[in-house]
Amino acid sequence: MATLSANAASAQEALVSYRSLSPEIALELARASLEACRAAGYQVAVSVTDRFGSPQVVLRDRFAGPHTLTTASAKAWTSISFRTNTSELVALSQPGQPQAGIRQLPNVVVLGGGVVIESAGTTVGAVGVSGAPGGPEDEKCAKAGIQAVRDKLEL
């Protein structure tokens, strides 16, 4: 019996299950973020990553600057990598702070606009927005995108 119990425990630990954004929800979230920024008069790029930081959707409005694609993707990647919104990392990584070194890591962008996406208490991805006049405005658009699909995330 002890051997069967030990084998069952090993089998359970060998595989894990996780929640993941569908491409359809990722696209809907990105579109809603883009529309929120448009409504505010901003031309932006939006990137939605999965829980591992791989891009699922990247959108760029027609007049958004060429840098916005890279910046939005890096904001989403940074947010999911550190499992926190990039606006929170701004203060935590100021020169002289214990986490200041994260600003020197490759692909890290410490500007507001990267927001973690959660579903039923589990991190499932991140959204990054770039192109509004500042990080707070980018973050507002990202959060609007999440809010637009919130009911589908909480199933």
Side-chain angles (χ1 to χ4, degrees):
M1 280 303 265
T3 303
L4 287 176
S5 178
N7 286 341
S10 288
Q12 289 176 355
E13 293 176 12
L15 299 173
V16 296
S17 297
Y18 60 88
R19 297 176 66 95
S20 180
L21 290 173
S22 71
E24 294 80 13
I25 294 301
L27 179 58
E28 188 176 340
L29 192 157
R31 283 182 173 158
S33 296
L34 186 89
E35 288 301 323
C37 271
R38 272 186 182 169
Y42 312 135
Q43 293 280 305
V44 300
V46 179
S47 177
V48 178
T49 67
D50 65 14
R51 64 183 291 117
F52 305 109
S54 295
Q56 280 192 276
V57 174
V58 179
L59 297 175
R60 181 185 150 272
D61 216 339
R62 69 186 145 232
F63 300 120
H67 69 285
T68 60
L69 284 170
T70 304
T71 307
S73 294
K75 286 180 181 185
W77 185 87
T78 301
S79 183
I80 197 67
S81 293
F82 292 98
R83 301 288 195 257
T84 189
N85 295 346
T86 53
S87 60
E88 295 174 33
L89 293 174
V90 172
L92 294 173
S93 64
Q94 289 293 319
Q97 295 298 315
Q99 295 183 17
I102 68 171
R103 291 175 179 244
Q104 306 309 314
L105 296 173
N107 301 319
V108 171
V109 171
V110 183
L111 299 169
V115 179
V116 173
I117 305 165
E118 292 187 352
S119 172
T122 300
T123 301
V124 295
V127 57
V129 176
S130 176
E137 293 85 2
D138 286 335
E139 183 168 318
K140 186 175 179 181
C141 295
K143 287 182 175 181
I146 294 170
Q147 190 58 40
V149 298
R150 176 65 54 209
D151 60 328
K152 296 174 183 170
L153 294 174
E154 297 303 327
L155 294 177

